[in-house]
């Protein structure tokens, strides 16, 4: 069993301890190559014809990169062109030790079968293991281990008889000393750059090369611009002694010379430290963890209100510097008299938080130059200097760039090109950008994930059938928005013999397919939610499940998790039960179709009868709920009519709601509440619930003031009071007032969040006026529902538990990820709507519309266009010229512009156009037409005839 | 006299501690099982450490043995059966009393630690050993007598309990005291859904839920089962399965040692 053993002594510094560990050497570690006949391996990873066209190596070869090559050039290694690579255990361990993200990426590559990356356990191989020699540093020893392993491979492949092709091994290293030693021992060795540049036919790979330390001197002048960063040991000592503080660096969106460092204090006390000026910012990038030294109090400054964008094109560093100095001076003057804030300077970086950034290239003015500046889409990120030979192709494209480093003598950080996302302004590209910027995982599902999908054709096995309740004979149907392919809920209602009604909510049994802990489950847990963009859906689970096996389509047998109530005709619940079941939906309807069936008195089939029963009960349930104090809030949701061929939006319309919408919603709420109660009773410590905290009273200020301006009283003591007073709030001759008020009320609310019941004591859902709530009804598109399904399945003894499900710490960590994903998906959704709105207005040109003032600000009013559900800002002060006289009264709130006073709810007329001056940040521009204020409003531009006059007063 | 199955459940304090251990352990950066299937020291999941043993190392004791399992080394000495010493009340009229004493040498761990009177851990370990051997030794053959088993850990590198049991088994055999079967013990841990056999110290401290099992291999009877970490019930079966396989592996090695020893002794005594 054991072949041999030696002892390795490792000494750990710190408390000096001698640690003795065994280290077994083995004979049964195979080389992983297809050509090898000696090794008794079951499967091979490395291919026989490992050919890649290269100037340097014309023969087939395997590549062995050393640790630094992997760490710095992981972008290159990830390229599909690079295959047949041997990753040594030494390298793997070193990478693991030095950078967790790179390690993760490396592991992903190794798992990818098409990449043919082989992980060779050289440290436990009898012939490749070496001991550290006296006087040899750990790094030198590792380098030697890599060389020994490379030599072994060379010998090994040479001796294997079938190797007629002359397969060789190429070592890649950027370390000069290592390279020399390797050459001495007769190895084929190249610098990483040499090798990549020699690859014929893949010139774009060169751009992905990260700049290594040696090249830095030829990219920038040698003039030192920044103070040196302190080493980590000094920073730690400084933090301990209180000389420095540690915090997260947050660059300002409007001013590139200003930033704040957010210092997390004990408990509530977190402070912000202002950093101003290039020298003090000292190469920190947004989201880095930095060490800051406070300046003496007489040097403290106030945050400036100036908007400064780093406009300097790719000029010389020297020129730039002068500009910067001027701008910095401007900052100081403006700050002299104002209130000062604690100000500091960055002395060191504790942890970089660089990720690849999306943005666009500014082409250098010198035509032949290969160095260009890159402007990230996020204004808080500094511009990045990259080297590329394909600038002309990349111009006008959205690209991704990663930062490699920021040397002291460089004005900008150095980076390298990662990949191109496509042409700027195009739908696919912009979609990709907004997904990346909102951190939405949207890659295709990996093979590992897909391997957990059930095999097709899929049928329900007899054993499965026996375990479940057979509800196929019930008249179940689903009601969803048009075009919905991931149907996760279906309903039925029938009269029982005793005169009562039986109502069932049937939810797709996703937890049957996604078993805890496997790759698919982990992926879904990470994604957290399906993201719906305009015209695109980013699935949480693979499509086979979301649109087929889990989708409760009509006339197919599907597994479901059913919640069945017995109710009387007053919608009082007499009995609740939960069961795993098999259903066969009789019809998939849209809201409108369902509504038509209910209204059509001539129809009397089972489905329609069932729908009518549901509708009747839903109305009662809704009434009861509202009596209890549930809020009906309003936010305008828009729907794009998308051209079926060009996929461009051709019309924009606020979503309309019909009775059946609320019918389905009512039963979903009921199911969620019933399930929440059940899982909480069963698992008081680890139930996944959802709460909606009551907003603090101050949130309502804006609503109260707005209502008061129209002499309407709003009570906010409780949800019930608020709901009642919203119901009676009407103003004669202003039918839209109530909706506007509800929109305002929505803005006052808090975010609803998932949480683990063992970690919190307040479960109340304010908006729904329910003491307990969870999400059970959409497991296809929300991960929280899957967890709830699992809990419920355990509660009814239909499934077994697993340890993470019962662990409240893990549950709580999961909840916070779900909350984050949920929030980001909403932002992404909004950004997508905003982008489509822009596309729409781009095609429509200029429009004149009526709208209402929603908020009044110091220098602007925010206008809502009900027709499009669009909100925009009308600014009254222009950057370049002196603005009109503005008087802002916070009490009203009102804004006096010259003679006219703006109040909330005022009706105005604006013209809407697209401002495309900045291609990365296009926005909708609104300007005032009516009321006419000289010098402020614009004359109504001519509108193309096809734009219909808006009909607002309904 | 059926087999004794001992199951230990511990208070929640240890469980909570374990929760945080697991986090630290994984954070601390030891990859206990690589994707290629190798453990820290190069073994595969089911492989044991190298076991070396010698019997009859002391002449004046009735039985003695020295056993190395990787870097864990233990010395076991047996006296008896003899008349009960001390309190007469301990006398059992139907069987012998087994007295176990477990101790660790000052120099056995990386940090020198003097434990003159033993600590709670060794008292507990002594108790476990006693229970194990009461289940294995045919005590009914020696009524009103006492058997002493002294075990000392000379070097500690994980799996102390199992190494002690294995050493003591050899010592008892050396003393010529009849047993139902060899008692073989092994610790197993659970990492990435895989049971790891015969944990070393780095693995034990790396936040693995470990389980110690003492087995009478021929009958497959469990003499002692001990686990004081959190483990999901579903995994217990596989873990015990793995532990039993490992114990059977140990028993093969011990059996060889015993036969080898007998051969040597018989050659020496000229039989």
């Amino acid at each position: 069993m054991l072949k041999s053993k030696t002892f390795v002594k490792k000494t750990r510094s710190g408390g000096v301890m001698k640690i003795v560990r065994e280290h077994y050497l083995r004979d049964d570690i195979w080389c992983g190559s297809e050509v090898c006949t000696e090794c008794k391996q079951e499967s091979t990873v490395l291919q026989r014809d490992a050919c890649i066209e290269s100037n340097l190596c014309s023969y087939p070869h395997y590549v062995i990169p050393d640790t630094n090559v992997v760490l710095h050039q992981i972008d290159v290694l990830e390229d599909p062109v690079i295959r047949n690579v041997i990753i040594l255990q030494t390298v793997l361990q070193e990478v693991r030790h030095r950078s967790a993200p790179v390690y993760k990426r490396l592991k992903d590559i190794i798992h990818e079968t098409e990449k043919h990356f082989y992980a060779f356990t050289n440290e436990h191989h009898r012939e490749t293991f070496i001991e550290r020699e006296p006087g040899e540093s750990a790094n030198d020893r590792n380098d030697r281990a890599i060389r020994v392993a490379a030599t072994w491979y060379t010998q090994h492949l040479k001796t294997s008889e079938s190797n007629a092709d002359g397969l060789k091994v190429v070592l890649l290293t950027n370390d000069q000393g290592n390279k020399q030693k390797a050459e001495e021992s007769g190895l084929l060795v190249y610098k990483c750059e040499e090798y990549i540049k020699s690859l014929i036919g893949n010139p774009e790979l060169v751009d992905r090369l990260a700049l290594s330390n040696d090249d830095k001197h030829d990219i920038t002048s040698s003039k030192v611009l920044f103070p040196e960063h302190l080493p980590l040991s000094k920073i730690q000592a400084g933090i301990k002694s209180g000389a420095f503080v540690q915090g997260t660096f947050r660059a300002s969106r409007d001013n590139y010379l200003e930033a704040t460092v957010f210092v997390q204090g004990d408990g509530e006390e977190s402070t912000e430290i202002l950093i101003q000026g290039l020298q003090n910012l000292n190469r920190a990038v947004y989201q880095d963890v930095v060490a800051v030294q406070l300046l003496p109090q007489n040097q403290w400054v106030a945050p400036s209100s100036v908007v400064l964008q780093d406009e300097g094109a790719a000029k010389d560093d020297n020129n730039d510097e002068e500009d910067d100095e001027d701008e910095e001076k401007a900052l100081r003057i403006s700050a002299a008299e104002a209130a000062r804030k604690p100000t500091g300077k960055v002395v060191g970086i504790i942890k970089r938080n660089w990720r690849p950034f999306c943005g666009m290239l500014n082409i250098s003015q010198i035509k032949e130059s290969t160095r260009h500046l890159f402007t990230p889409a996020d204004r808080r990120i500094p511009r990045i200097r990259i080297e590329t030979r394909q600038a002309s192709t990349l111009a006008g494209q959205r690209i991704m760039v990663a930062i490699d480093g920021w040397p002291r003598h460089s004005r900008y950080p150095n980076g390298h090109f990662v990949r191109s996302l496509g042409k700027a302004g195009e739908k696919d590209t912009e979609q990709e950008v907004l997904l990346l910027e909102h951190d939405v995982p949207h890659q295709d599902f990996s093979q590992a994930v897909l391997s957990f999908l059930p095999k097709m054709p899929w049928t329900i096995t007899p054993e499965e059938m026996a375990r479940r309740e057979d509800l196929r004979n019930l008249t179940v149907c689903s009601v969803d928005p048009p075009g919905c392919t991931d149907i996760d809920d279906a309903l039925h209602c029938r009269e029982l013999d005793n005169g009562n009604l039986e109502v069932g909510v049937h939810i797709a049994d996703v937890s049957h397919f996604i078993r805890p802990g496997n790759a698919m489950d982990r992926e879904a847990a990470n994604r957290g939610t399906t993201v719906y963009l305009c015209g695109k859906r980013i699935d949480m689970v693979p499509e086979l499940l979301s649109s087929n096996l889990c989708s409760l389509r009509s006339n197919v047998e599907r597994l479901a998790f059913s919640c069945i109530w017995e109710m009387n005709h007053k919608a009082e619940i007499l009995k609740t039960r939960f069961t795993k079941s098999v259903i066969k939906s009789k019809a998939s309807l849209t809201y409108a179709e369902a509504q038509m069936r209910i209204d059509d008195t001539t129809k009397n089939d089972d489905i329609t009868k069932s729908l009518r029963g549901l509708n009747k009960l839903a109305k009662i349930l809704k009434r009861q709920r509202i009596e209890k104090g549930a809020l009906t809030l309003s936010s305008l949701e828009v729907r794009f009519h998308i051209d079926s061929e060009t996929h461009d939006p051709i019309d924009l319309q606020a979503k309309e709601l019909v009775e059946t919408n609320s019918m389905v919603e009512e039963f979903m709420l009921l199911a969620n509440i019933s399930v929440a109660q059940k899982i909480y009773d069963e698992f008081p410590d680890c139930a996944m619930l959802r709460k909606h905290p009551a907003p603090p009273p101050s949130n309502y200020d804006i609503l109260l003031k707005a209502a008061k301006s129209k002499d309407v009283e709003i009570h906010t003591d409780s949800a019930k009071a608020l709901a009642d007073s919203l119901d009676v709030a009407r103003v004669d001759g202003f039918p839209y007032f109530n909706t506007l008020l509800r929109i305002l009320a929505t803005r006052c609310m808090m975010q609803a969040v998932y949480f683990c019941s063992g970690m919190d004591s307040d479960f109340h859902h304010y908006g729904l006026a329910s003491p307990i709530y969870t999400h059970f009804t959409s497991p296809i598109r929300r991960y929280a529902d899957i967890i709830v399904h699992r809990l419920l399945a355990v509660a009814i003894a239909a499934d077994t538990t697993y340890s993470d499900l019962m662990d409240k710490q893990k549950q709580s960590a999961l909840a916070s990820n779900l909350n984050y994903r949920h929030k980001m998906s909403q932002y992404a959704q909004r950004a997508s709507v905003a982008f489509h709105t822009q596309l729409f207005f781009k095609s429509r040109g200029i429009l004149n519309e009526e709208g209402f003032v929603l908020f009044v600000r110091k220098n602007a009013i925010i206008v809502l266009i009900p027709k499009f559900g669009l909100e925009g800002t009308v600014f009254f002060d222009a950057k370049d010229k002196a603005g009109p006289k503005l008087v802002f009264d916070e009490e009203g709130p009102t804004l006096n512009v010259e003679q006219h006073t703006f109040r909330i709810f005022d009706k105005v007329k604006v013209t809407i156009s697209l401002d495309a001056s900045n291609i990365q940040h296009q926005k909708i521009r609104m300007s005032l037409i009516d009321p006419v204020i000289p010098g402020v409003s614009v004359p109504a531009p001519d509108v193309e005839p096809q734009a219909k006059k808006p009909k607002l007063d309904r | 006299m059926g087999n004794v199955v001992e199951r230990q459940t511990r208070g929640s304090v240890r469980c909570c501690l374990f929760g945080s251990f697991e986090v630290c352990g994984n954070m601390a950066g030891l990859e206990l099982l690589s994707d290629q299937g190798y453990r820290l020291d190069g073994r595969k999941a089911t492989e044991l450490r190298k076991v070396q043993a010698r019997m009859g190392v002391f002449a004046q004791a009735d039985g003695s043995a020295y056993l190395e399992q990787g870097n864990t080394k233990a010395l076991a000495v047996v006296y008896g059966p003899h008349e009960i010493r001390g309190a007469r009340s301990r006398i059992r009229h139907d069987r012998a009393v087994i007295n176990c004493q477990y101790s660790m040498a000052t120099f056995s761990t990386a940090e020198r630690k003097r434990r003159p009177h033993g600590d709670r851990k060794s008292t507990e370990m002594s108790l476990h050993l006693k229970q194990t051997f009461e289940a294995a030794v045919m005590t009914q053959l020696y009524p009103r007598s006492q058997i002493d088993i002294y075990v000392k850990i000379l070097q500690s590198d994980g799996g102390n309990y199992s190494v002690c049991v294995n050493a003591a088994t050899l010592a008892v055999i050396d003393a010529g005291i009849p047993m139902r079967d060899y008692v073989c013990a092994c610790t197993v841990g659970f990492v990435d859904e895989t049971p790891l056999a015969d944990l070393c110290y780095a693995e034990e401290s790396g936040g693995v839920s470990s389980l110690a099992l003492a087995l009478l291999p021929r009958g497959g009877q469990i003499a002692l089962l001990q686990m004081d970490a959190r483990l999901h019930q579903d995994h217990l079966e596989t873990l015990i399965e793995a532990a039993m396989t490992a114990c059977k592996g140990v028993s093969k090695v011990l059996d060889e040692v015993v036969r080898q020893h007998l051969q040597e002794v018989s050659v020496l005594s000229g039989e």
Side-chain angles (χ1 to χ4, degrees), chain A residues 2 7 17-18 20-24 26 28-29 96 103 107 111 119 121 124 800-803 810, chain B residues 22 29-31 35-36 38-44 47-50 70-71 110-111 202 232 234:
Chain A
L2 305 175
F7 291 96
M17 261 220 289
K18 187 162 168 189
V20 180
R21 277 197 201 141
E22 280 183 293
H23 195 97
Y24 290 90
R26 324 180 58 109
D28 60 348
I29 296 173
R96 183 167 190 274
Y103 179 67
K107 263 175 80 160
H111 282 295
T121 314
H124 291 290
T800 52
T801 137
Y802 58 101
S803 50
K810 287 199 176 140
Chain B
E22 192 170 42
L30 285 179
E31 193 181 38
D35 289 346
Q36 289 73 44
Y38 297 108
R39 291 155 66 174
L40 285 174
D41 50 11
R43 284 182 289 157
K44 290 198 169 161
E47 290 174 343
L48 302 174
R49 290 179 285 180
K50 185 164 180 137
N71 274 336
E111 251 175 313
H232 197 269
D234 296 356

Side-chain angles (χ1 to χ4, degrees), chain B residues 160-215:
Chain B
N160 289 355
Y161 166 76
S162 18
V163 176
C164 286
V165 170
N166 298 336
T169 303
L170 292 182
V172 172
I173 292 171
D174 187 43
I177 300 171
M179 291 206 287
R180 274 177 249 284
D181 192 358
Y182 293 106
V183 214
C184 305
C186 197
T187 46
V188 283
F190 198 69
V191 168
D192 295 340
E193 312 283 304
T194 324
L196 302 184
D198 195 10
L199 302 180
C200 69
Y201 178 74
E203 287 167 333
E204 265 185 355
S205 58
V208 184
S209 354
S210 73
L211 172 148
L213 181 133
L215 186 77

Side-chain angles (χ1 to χ4, degrees), chain A residues 624-783:
Chain A
Q624 287 174 348
R625 208 162 51 83
I626 287 173
E627 271 165 18
K628 264 194 262 164
L631 295 172
T632 358
L633 298 173
S634 181
S635 62
L636 284 178
E637 277 191 85
V638 290
R639 227 191 128 70
F640 290 92
H641 288 267
I642 304 238
D643 189 307
S644 53
E645 273 170 25
T646 60
H647 296 290
D648 284 336
I650 42 180
D651 200 4
L652 227 168
Q653 201 172 58
K655 271 184 197 166
E656 271 183 47
L657 298 178
V658 288
E659 225 172 33
T660 42
N661 282 61
S662 98
M663 173 186 96
V664 174
E665 192 189 332
E666 218 50 59
F667 283 104
M668 294 306 133
L669 292 177
L670 194 63
N672 285 339
I673 294 170
S674 295
V675 171
Q677 194 58 54
K678 173 83 180 170
I679 59 171
Y680 178 64
D681 288 347
E682 203 76 18
F683 305 105
D685 259 359
C686 56
M688 175 76 85
L689 299 177
R690 189 167 172 83
K691 68 170 175 180
H692 183 204
S698 59
N699 275 21
Y700 287 122
D701 284 355
I702 184 83
L703 178 70
L704 295 178
K705 277 183 195 168
K708 215 167 184 185
S709 69
K710 293 280 176 204
D711 288 328
V712 173
E713 195 84 31
I714 299 284
H715 301 279
T716 58
D717 325 336
S718 67
K720 170 98 177 111
L722 177 63
D724 288 347
S725 50
L726 279 176
D727 282 342
V728 297
R730 304 231 180 279
V731 171
D732 290 335
F734 190 2
Y736 204 64
F737 174 71
N738 194 273
T739 313
L740 280 175
L741 214 51
R742 284 183 198 275
I743 292 174
L744 276 183
T746 313
R747 306 278 163 98
C748 303
M749 293 298 150
M750 309 280 282
Q751 273 277 344
V753 288
Y754 296 110
F755 69 103
C756 170
S757 61
M759 306 295 277
D760 210 324
S761 55
D762 175 28
F763 296 177
H764 196 75
H765 198 292
Y766 183 77
L768 297 172
S770 168
I772 192 164
Y773 191 68
T774 192
H775 271 163
F776 167 72
T777 52
S778 301
I780 301 181
R781 59 188 175 89
R782 289 188 306 231
Y783 190 75

Side-chain angles (χ1 to χ4, degrees), chain B residues 19-58:
Chain B
S20 56
F21 266 159
E22 192 170 42
V23 175
C24 311
N26 292 343
M27 292 266 186
L30 285 179
E31 193 181 38
L32 296 177
L33 187 66
S34 76
D35 289 346
Q36 289 73 44
Y38 297 108
R39 291 155 66 174
L40 285 174
D41 50 11
R43 284 182 289 157
K44 290 198 169 161
T46 55
E47 290 174 343
L48 302 174
R49 290 179 285 180
K50 185 164 180 137
V51 183
Q52 282 176 313
R54 215 141 49 91
M55 289 166 75
V57 283
F58 294 128

Side-chain angles (χ1 to χ4, degrees), chain B residues 225-267:
Chain B
L225 176 74
Q226 189 214 354
M227 183 169 72
D228 46 8
R230 248 172 111 135
L231 181 84
H232 197 269
Q233 189 186 333
D234 296 356
H235 302 318
L236 188 63
E237 197 81 6
T238 45
L239 205 55
I240 292 182
E241 203 67 40
M244 285 168 87
T245 322
C247 287
K248 283 175 187 158
V250 173
S251 89
K252 247 182 242 160
V253 181
L254 296 191
D255 194 50
E256 251 166 59
V257 172
V258 172
R259 283 174 202 284
Q260 176 85 26
H261 178 70
L262 277 178
Q263 213 164 17
E264 281 166 22
V265 173
S266 51
V267 168

